[in-house]
Short mmCIF file of all heavy atoms in Angstrom, two decimals:
data_model
loop_
_atom_site.label_atom_id
_atom_site.label_comp_id
_atom_site.label_asym_id
_atom_site.label_seq_id
_atom_site.Cartn_x
_atom_site.Cartn_y
_atom_site.Cartn_z
N VAL U 1 107.56 105.72 114.84
CA VAL U 1 108.52 106.80 114.62
C VAL U 1 108.33 107.36 113.20
O VAL U 1 108.60 106.66 112.23
CB VAL U 1 109.98 106.27 114.78
CG1 VAL U 1 110.97 107.41 114.60
CG2 VAL U 1 110.16 105.62 116.15
N ASP U 2 107.84 108.58 113.11
CA ASP U 2 107.62 109.21 111.80
C ASP U 2 108.94 109.84 111.34
O ASP U 2 109.35 110.88 111.85
CB ASP U 2 106.52 110.27 111.93
CG ASP U 2 106.08 110.81 110.59
OD1 ASP U 2 106.77 110.55 109.59
OD2 ASP U 2 105.03 111.48 110.55
N PHE U 3 109.58 109.21 110.34
CA PHE U 3 110.93 109.61 109.95
C PHE U 3 111.19 109.25 108.51
O PHE U 3 110.80 108.17 108.06
CB PHE U 3 111.94 108.90 110.88
CG PHE U 3 113.35 109.41 110.82
CD1 PHE U 3 113.63 110.76 110.96
CD2 PHE U 3 114.41 108.53 110.65
CE1 PHE U 3 114.93 111.21 110.91
CE2 PHE U 3 115.71 108.98 110.61
CZ PHE U 3 115.98 110.35 110.75
N VAL U 4 111.80 110.15 107.75
CA VAL U 4 112.19 109.99 106.34
C VAL U 4 111.10 109.36 105.46
O VAL U 4 111.37 108.53 104.59
CB VAL U 4 113.53 109.20 106.18
CG1 VAL U 4 114.68 109.98 106.77
CG2 VAL U 4 113.44 107.79 106.78
N GLY U 5 109.85 109.76 105.69
CA GLY U 5 108.77 109.33 104.80
C GLY U 5 108.06 108.06 105.22
O GLY U 5 107.12 107.62 104.55
N TYR U 6 108.47 107.46 106.34
CA TYR U 6 107.83 106.24 106.83
C TYR U 6 107.46 106.41 108.28
O TYR U 6 107.91 107.31 108.98
CB TYR U 6 108.83 105.06 106.69
CG TYR U 6 109.23 104.73 105.29
CD1 TYR U 6 110.47 105.14 104.81
CD2 TYR U 6 108.39 104.02 104.43
CE1 TYR U 6 110.86 104.85 103.50
CE2 TYR U 6 108.79 103.72 103.14
CZ TYR U 6 110.02 104.15 102.68
OH TYR U 6 110.40 103.86 101.39
N ARG U 7 106.62 105.46 108.76
CA ARG U 7 106.28 105.37 110.16
C ARG U 7 106.74 103.98 110.66
O ARG U 7 106.19 102.96 110.21
CB ARG U 7 104.79 105.56 110.39
CG ARG U 7 104.41 105.71 111.86
CD ARG U 7 102.95 106.09 112.02
NE ARG U 7 102.71 107.46 111.61
CZ ARG U 7 102.88 108.53 112.40
NH1 ARG U 7 103.30 108.39 113.63
NH2 ARG U 7 102.61 109.73 111.94
N PHE U 8 107.72 103.98 111.53
CA PHE U 8 108.37 102.72 111.96
C PHE U 8 107.82 102.23 113.26
O PHE U 8 107.68 102.97 114.25
CB PHE U 8 109.89 102.95 112.14
CG PHE U 8 110.62 103.38 110.89
CD1 PHE U 8 110.68 104.71 110.51
CD2 PHE U 8 111.25 102.43 110.11
CE1 PHE U 8 111.35 105.09 109.35
CE2 PHE U 8 111.92 102.81 108.93
CZ PHE U 8 111.98 104.13 108.58
N TYR U 9 107.49 100.91 113.27
CA TYR U 9 107.11 100.20 114.50
C TYR U 9 108.08 99.05 114.71
O TYR U 9 108.93 98.75 113.85
CB TYR U 9 105.67 99.66 114.38
CG TYR U 9 104.61 100.74 114.23
CD1 TYR U 9 104.31 101.28 112.98
CD2 TYR U 9 103.91 101.20 115.35
CE1 TYR U 9 103.34 102.26 112.83
CE2 TYR U 9 102.94 102.19 115.20
CZ TYR U 9 102.66 102.71 113.96
OH TYR U 9 101.70 103.67 113.81
N HIS U 10 107.96 98.38 115.82
CA HIS U 10 108.87 97.24 116.08
C HIS U 10 108.57 96.07 115.14
O HIS U 10 109.45 95.24 114.87
CB HIS U 10 108.74 96.78 117.51
CG HIS U 10 109.47 97.65 118.50
ND1 HIS U 10 108.84 98.50 119.38
CD2 HIS U 10 110.79 97.81 118.72
CE1 HIS U 10 109.74 99.15 120.08
NE2 HIS U 10 110.93 98.77 119.72
N THR U 11 107.33 95.97 114.67
CA THR U 11 106.92 94.81 113.87
C THR U 11 106.74 95.10 112.40
O THR U 11 106.76 94.18 111.57
CB THR U 11 105.61 94.25 114.42
OG1 THR U 11 104.60 95.29 114.44
CG2 THR U 11 105.79 93.71 115.84
N HIS U 12 106.59 96.38 112.01
CA HIS U 12 106.32 96.67 110.64
C HIS U 12 106.65 98.16 110.33
O HIS U 12 106.91 98.93 111.26
CB HIS U 12 104.86 96.39 110.25
CG HIS U 12 103.87 97.15 111.07
ND1 HIS U 12 103.56 96.84 112.39
CD2 HIS U 12 103.11 98.24 110.75
CE1 HIS U 12 102.65 97.68 112.83
NE2 HIS U 12 102.38 98.53 111.88
N VAL U 13 106.61 98.51 109.05
CA VAL U 13 106.86 99.85 108.60
C VAL U 13 105.75 100.28 107.64
O VAL U 13 105.41 99.53 106.70
CB VAL U 13 108.23 99.96 107.87
CG1 VAL U 13 108.50 101.39 107.43
CG2 VAL U 13 109.36 99.48 108.76
N LEU U 14 105.17 101.47 107.86
CA LEU U 14 104.12 101.97 107.01
C LEU U 14 104.57 103.26 106.28
O LEU U 14 105.49 103.94 106.75
CB LEU U 14 102.87 102.31 107.85
CG LEU U 14 102.26 101.14 108.62
CD1 LEU U 14 101.05 101.63 109.44
CD2 LEU U 14 101.81 100.03 107.67
N LEU U 15 103.91 103.54 105.20
CA LEU U 15 104.21 104.78 104.44
C LEU U 15 103.59 105.95 105.18
O LEU U 15 102.50 105.87 105.73
CB LEU U 15 103.64 104.67 103.03
CG LEU U 15 104.05 105.75 102.02
CD1 LEU U 15 105.52 105.69 101.73
CD2 LEU U 15 103.23 105.61 100.73
N ARG U 16 104.29 107.10 105.15
CA ARG U 16 103.79 108.30 105.80
C ARG U 16 102.44 108.74 105.19
O ARG U 16 102.25 108.67 103.97
CB ARG U 16 104.81 109.43 105.70
CG ARG U 16 104.42 110.72 106.34
CD ARG U 16 105.48 111.78 106.17
NE ARG U 16 106.61 111.56 107.07
CZ ARG U 16 107.77 112.20 106.98
NH1 ARG U 16 107.96 113.06 105.98
NH2 ARG U 16 108.74 111.96 107.85
N LYS U 17 101.54 109.21 106.02
CA LYS U 17 100.20 109.55 105.58
C LYS U 17 100.20 110.64 104.51
O LYS U 17 99.45 110.57 103.53
CB LYS U 17 99.34 109.98 106.80
CG LYS U 17 97.90 110.24 106.47
CD LYS U 17 97.11 110.59 107.72
CE LYS U 17 95.63 110.85 107.37
NZ LYS U 17 94.86 111.21 108.60
N SER U 18 101.05 111.64 104.66
CA SER U 18 101.06 112.77 103.68
C SER U 18 101.48 112.29 102.33
O SER U 18 100.98 112.82 101.30
CB SER U 18 102.02 113.87 104.20
OG SER U 18 103.33 113.38 104.32
N ILE U 19 102.37 111.29 102.25
CA ILE U 19 102.78 110.75 100.94
C ILE U 19 101.62 109.97 100.31
O ILE U 19 101.39 110.04 99.10
CB ILE U 19 104.03 109.87 101.12
CG1 ILE U 19 105.20 110.70 101.61
CG2 ILE U 19 104.39 109.19 99.79
CD1 ILE U 19 106.47 109.92 101.89
N LYS U 20 100.88 109.21 101.13
CA LYS U 20 99.70 108.50 100.61
C LYS U 20 98.66 109.47 100.06
O LYS U 20 98.03 109.19 99.05
CB LYS U 20 99.12 107.61 101.71
CG LYS U 20 99.92 106.37 102.00
CD LYS U 20 99.15 105.35 102.82
CE LYS U 20 99.12 105.76 104.25
NZ LYS U 20 98.53 104.69 105.11
N ILE U 21 98.48 110.59 100.74
CA ILE U 21 97.52 111.58 100.27
C ILE U 21 97.93 112.09 98.89
O ILE U 21 97.10 112.23 97.99
CB ILE U 21 97.38 112.73 101.29
CG1 ILE U 21 96.69 112.20 102.56
CG2 ILE U 21 96.60 113.90 100.69
CD1 ILE U 21 96.70 113.21 103.70
N ARG U 22 99.21 112.45 98.72
CA ARG U 22 99.70 112.93 97.41
C ARG U 22 99.57 111.86 96.36
O ARG U 22 99.25 112.13 95.18
CB ARG U 22 101.17 113.39 97.53
CG ARG U 22 101.36 114.59 98.40
CD ARG U 22 102.65 115.34 98.07
NE ARG U 22 103.80 114.49 98.16
CZ ARG U 22 104.54 114.34 99.28
NH1 ARG U 22 104.17 114.95 100.39
NH2 ARG U 22 105.61 113.59 99.27
N LEU U 23 99.82 110.60 96.72
CA LEU U 23 99.69 109.48 95.80
C LEU U 23 98.26 109.36 95.27
O LEU U 23 98.06 109.25 94.04
CB LEU U 23 100.11 108.19 96.50
CG LEU U 23 99.79 106.86 95.82
CD1 LEU U 23 100.46 106.77 94.47
CD2 LEU U 23 100.21 105.71 96.72
N PHE U 24 97.28 109.43 96.14
CA PHE U 24 95.88 109.26 95.69
C PHE U 24 95.33 110.50 95.00
O PHE U 24 94.38 110.42 94.22
CB PHE U 24 95.02 108.79 96.87
CG PHE U 24 95.18 107.32 97.16
CD1 PHE U 24 95.98 106.93 98.22
CD2 PHE U 24 94.60 106.38 96.36
CE1 PHE U 24 96.16 105.59 98.50
CE2 PHE U 24 94.76 105.01 96.62
CZ PHE U 24 95.56 104.63 97.68
N LYS U 25 95.92 111.66 95.27
CA LYS U 25 95.57 112.82 94.47
C LYS U 25 95.99 112.63 93.03
O LYS U 25 95.25 113.01 92.10
CB LYS U 25 96.27 114.07 95.05
CG LYS U 25 95.59 114.69 96.26
CD LYS U 25 96.31 115.95 96.71
CE LYS U 25 95.64 116.57 97.90
NZ LYS U 25 96.38 117.79 98.38
N LEU U 26 97.15 112.03 92.82
CA LEU U 26 97.64 111.73 91.48
C LEU U 26 96.72 110.72 90.81
O LEU U 26 96.37 110.87 89.62
CB LEU U 26 99.06 111.19 91.54
CG LEU U 26 99.69 110.77 90.23
CD1 LEU U 26 99.83 111.95 89.27
CD2 LEU U 26 101.06 110.12 90.47
N ILE U 27 96.30 109.68 91.53
CA ILE U 27 95.40 108.69 90.94
C ILE U 27 94.05 109.33 90.59
O ILE U 27 93.47 109.00 89.52
CB ILE U 27 95.22 107.52 91.94
CG1 ILE U 27 96.53 106.73 92.08
CG2 ILE U 27 94.10 106.57 91.48
CD1 ILE U 27 96.48 105.65 93.11
N ARG U 28 93.56 110.21 91.40
CA ARG U 28 92.28 110.89 91.09
C ARG U 28 92.40 111.73 89.83
O ARG U 28 91.47 111.88 89.04
CB ARG U 28 91.79 111.71 92.29
CG ARG U 28 91.21 110.89 93.42
CD ARG U 28 90.37 111.73 94.36
NE ARG U 28 91.21 112.72 95.05
CZ ARG U 28 91.82 112.47 96.21
NH1 ARG U 28 91.73 111.27 96.78
NH2 ARG U 28 92.53 113.41 96.78
N ARG U 29 93.58 112.34 89.61
CA ARG U 29 93.77 113.12 88.40
C ARG U 29 93.72 112.22 87.17
O ARG U 29 93.17 112.59 86.13
CB ARG U 29 95.12 113.82 88.44
CG ARG U 29 95.23 114.96 89.44
CD ARG U 29 96.47 115.77 89.26
NE ARG U 29 96.44 116.48 87.99
CZ ARG U 29 97.49 117.03 87.44
NH1 ARG U 29 98.68 116.96 88.01
NH2 ARG U 29 97.37 117.68 86.29
N TYR U 30 94.25 111.02 87.30
CA TYR U 30 94.17 110.05 86.21
C TYR U 30 92.73 109.60 85.97
O TYR U 30 92.27 109.51 84.83
CB TYR U 30 95.06 108.85 86.51
CG TYR U 30 94.79 107.63 85.64
CD1 TYR U 30 95.14 107.64 84.30
CD2 TYR U 30 94.19 106.49 86.18
CE1 TYR U 30 94.90 106.52 83.51
CE2 TYR U 30 93.94 105.41 85.40
CZ TYR U 30 94.29 105.42 84.05
OH TYR U 30 94.05 104.32 83.26
N GLN U 31 92.00 109.32 87.04
CA GLN U 31 90.63 108.86 86.91
C GLN U 31 89.71 109.92 86.32
O GLN U 31 88.73 109.61 85.65
CB GLN U 31 90.11 108.39 88.26
CG GLN U 31 90.79 107.12 88.80
CD GLN U 31 90.37 106.77 90.21
OE1 GLN U 31 90.01 107.67 91.00
NE2 GLN U 31 90.42 105.50 90.55
N SER U 32 90.04 111.18 86.55
CA SER U 32 89.22 112.28 86.01
C SER U 32 89.65 112.67 84.59
O SER U 32 89.05 113.56 83.98
CB SER U 32 89.32 113.50 86.93
OG SER U 32 90.65 113.99 86.95
N GLY U 33 90.69 112.01 84.06
CA GLY U 33 91.10 112.25 82.66
C GLY U 33 92.07 113.40 82.48
O GLY U 33 92.35 113.79 81.34
N LYS U 34 92.62 113.97 83.58
CA LYS U 34 93.54 115.10 83.47
C LYS U 34 94.94 114.67 83.00
O LYS U 34 95.68 115.46 82.43
CB LYS U 34 93.62 115.83 84.80
CG LYS U 34 92.33 116.51 85.19
CD LYS U 34 92.47 117.26 86.50
CE LYS U 34 91.14 117.96 86.87
NZ LYS U 34 91.25 118.69 88.16
N ILE U 35 95.31 113.40 83.28
CA ILE U 35 96.58 112.85 82.77
C ILE U 35 96.29 111.49 82.18
O ILE U 35 95.35 110.79 82.57
CB ILE U 35 97.65 112.78 83.88
CG1 ILE U 35 97.18 111.86 85.03
CG2 ILE U 35 98.05 114.13 84.37
CD1 ILE U 35 98.25 111.61 86.07
N ASP U 36 97.12 111.09 81.20
CA ASP U 36 96.91 109.77 80.58
C ASP U 36 97.69 108.71 81.35
O ASP U 36 98.47 108.97 82.28
CB ASP U 36 97.32 109.79 79.10
CG ASP U 36 98.78 110.19 78.91
OD1 ASP U 36 99.56 110.12 79.87
OD2 ASP U 36 99.14 110.58 77.78
N LYS U 37 97.54 107.46 80.89
CA LYS U 37 98.14 106.33 81.63
C LYS U 37 99.66 106.36 81.53
O LYS U 37 100.36 105.98 82.49
CB LYS U 37 97.59 105.00 81.09
CG LYS U 37 97.93 103.82 81.99
CD LYS U 37 97.04 102.63 81.69
CE LYS U 37 97.26 101.53 82.71
NZ LYS U 37 96.34 100.38 82.51
N GLN U 38 100.20 106.78 80.42
CA GLN U 38 101.64 106.86 80.25
C GLN U 38 102.25 107.86 81.26
O GLN U 38 103.28 107.59 81.86
CB GLN U 38 102.02 107.25 78.82
CG GLN U 38 103.51 107.23 78.57
CD GLN U 38 103.84 107.54 77.12
OE1 GLN U 38 102.95 107.71 76.27
NE2 GLN U 38 105.11 107.56 76.79
#
């Protein structure tokens, strides 16, 4: 069940794919030096 940012199953809950994509875009900006660690 894709709802409120998560995907719910009977046994576990996963983070929504679109949020993970935005998360790793941010990490790539850090790795390329566009933002600092702070």
Side-chain angles (χ1 to χ4, degrees):
V1 181
D2 190 347
F3 192 52
V4 294
Y6 298 101
R7 189 173 289 275
F8 297 86
Y9 296 85
H10 282 108
T11 55
H12 60 284
V13 181
L14 300 178
L15 190 65
R16 181 181 283 168
K17 185 177 180 180
S18 61
I19 297 177
K20 285 194 282 188
I21 290 172
R22 294 203 303 270
L23 167 61
F24 282 101
K25 280 183 179 178
L26 178 62
I27 292 175
R28 284 198 295 271
R29 290 191 67 194
Y30 165 70
Q31 291 174 332
S32 63
K34 293 181 180 179
I35 59 173
D36 59 18
K37 193 162 188 176
Q38 184 176 358

